Amino acid sequence: MVRRPLGNHHDGPDTLLVTPETTHTEPVTAETARLASLVASARYVLWDMDGPICRLFAGYPAHQIAGELVAKIDQLGMGGLLKEQERSGNDPHDALRGVHERRPGSDLVLELEEWLTRRELQAVPKAMPTPHADPLIRTWSSLGVRFAITTNNAAVAASAYVESRELTGCFPYVYGRTPNLDLMKPNPYCLDQAIKAMGAVPSATLMIGDAATDLQAAQRAGVSFLGYARNEDKERILREAGAEDIVGSMAQVLAVLRRPS
């Protein structure tokens, strides 16, 4: 397992703040050697968006959106469809999935999914880039590794975010939530779609995610997995789900790419 503290935030799409984390030459340990092997074997990388690339809801909190979604469901007279944990959850997907489970394929689910997509788009301008993610993406892409985004958020929101960071050229393939919520991760559907579109070989493909559902989708798609955990709670959840390789900062991956061969 690879685990080190988070690095500093960077300013702008091309600037990496120089810190001891990024300039210090660390000894090659078993953990860094394992990470280096994982990175070196990846010719294709599938990125979850909210977490590894950015904090989508940094300025428009997910718990606020979740509460607004529950209120909307109540206003439509359908509040009885929700279980208590879905009403009180901090993730808007909790309530959305709950309605889907009880009214699959309904116009109500379609309306709520579209409503959530609009809120995700509203969150994009206030999203916070994950520290070191932008330079990592540019550096890795420049080496010929092909990228796709595979997210449970709306694809249009993911595309809007990478466009705002001038990263569109790095992500020619973006796959996100569809109106059929059964296809959300841990279902590997969006990963499989990306793999097919890129002409990727699963054995040469790496998924980077910060949730147990990302790991489960990667396992089902037959691709390697690298966990990103920005705090101890996220690391614990990933460990309990079975993740073996975890980084606490994208600077660790960037350092591997920049290490002299």
Side-chain angles (χ1 to χ4, degrees), residues 155-173:
V156 291
S159 295
Y161 176 77
V162 296
E163 181 179 359
S164 75
R165 302 299 296 175
E166 300 180 4
L167 294 170
T168 302
C170 298
F171 292 103
Y173 307 101

Side-chain angles (χ1 to χ4, degrees), residues 8-259:
N8 287 24
H9 183 62
H10 63 274
D11 300 323
D14 292 305
T15 302
L16 174 64
L17 295 183
V18 178
T19 69
E21 178 184 7
T22 60
T23 59
H24 177 62
T25 302
E26 299 177 0
V28 177
T29 64
E31 290 80 7
T32 55
R34 182 180 173 93
L35 176 60
S37 176
L38 194 65
V39 169
S41 64
R43 304 310 307 156
Y44 309 90
V45 181
L46 310 177
W47 293 77
D48 180 43
M49 180 182 65
D50 187 20
I53 295 177
C54 69
R55 290 178 61 188
L56 177 60
F57 302 109
Y60 188 0
H63 68 83
Q64 179 180 337
I65 298 174
E68 292 171 358
L69 179 56
V70 170
K72 179 175 178 61
I73 295 169
D74 286 341
Q75 290 167 5
L76 293 171
M78 305 301 288
L81 293 175
L82 298 177
K83 296 179 180 178
E84 181 53 39
Q85 63 267 32
E86 295 162 351
R87 297 186 66 85
S88 59
N90 291 326
D91 185 342
H93 283 144
D94 293 343
L96 185 62
R97 285 182 190 267
V99 174
H100 170 70
E101 286 177 7
R102 279 136 232 153
R103 294 289 189 278
S106 66
D107 289 342
L108 175 61
V109 171
L110 181 61
E111 178 181 352
L112 297 177
E113 194 279 327
E114 291 175 345
W115 180 93
L116 180 55
T117 294
R118 292 192 295 272
R119 295 309 183 276
E120 289 173 347
L121 284 168
Q122 290 176 21
V124 166
K126 296 181 179 180
M128 180 181 294
T130 296
H132 308 289
D134 283 18
L136 170 59
I137 290 166
R138 288 191 171 87
T139 300
W140 212 349
S141 179
S142 73
L143 297 176
V145 176
R146 302 182 71 184
F147 291 161
I149 292 177
T150 52
T151 176
N152 277 348
N153 299 115
V156 291
S159 295
Y161 176 77
V162 296
E163 181 179 359
S164 75
R165 302 299 296 175
E166 300 180 4
L167 294 170
T168 302
C170 298
F171 292 103
Y173 307 101
V174 179
Y175 294 92
R177 186 181 61 243
T178 75
N180 183 354
L181 303 184
D182 288 333
L183 300 180
M184 291 171 63
K185 293 175 290 186
N187 188 307
Y189 176 78
C190 64
L191 282 70
D192 291 337
Q193 292 294 105
I195 289 169
K196 291 176 183 176
M198 291 191 293
V201 178
S203 61
T205 302
L206 175 67
M207 169 78 192
I208 301 179
D210 71 337
T213 51
D214 295 320
L215 171 62
Q216 293 158 1
Q219 291 171 333
R220 295 176 188 181
V223 304
S224 300
F225 181 78
L226 176 64
Y228 168 67
R230 64 183 176 84
N231 57 44
E232 292 183 356
D233 285 342
K234 286 188 173 291
E235 181 184 0
R236 174 183 53 77
I237 291 169
L238 285 171
R239 284 199 198 207
E240 290 175 352
E244 296 181 357
D245 299 291
I246 302 173
V247 292
S249 171
M250 288 303 174
Q252 294 170 241
V253 186
L254 187 59
V256 165
L257 291 176
R258 291 176 170 173
R259 188 182 298 276

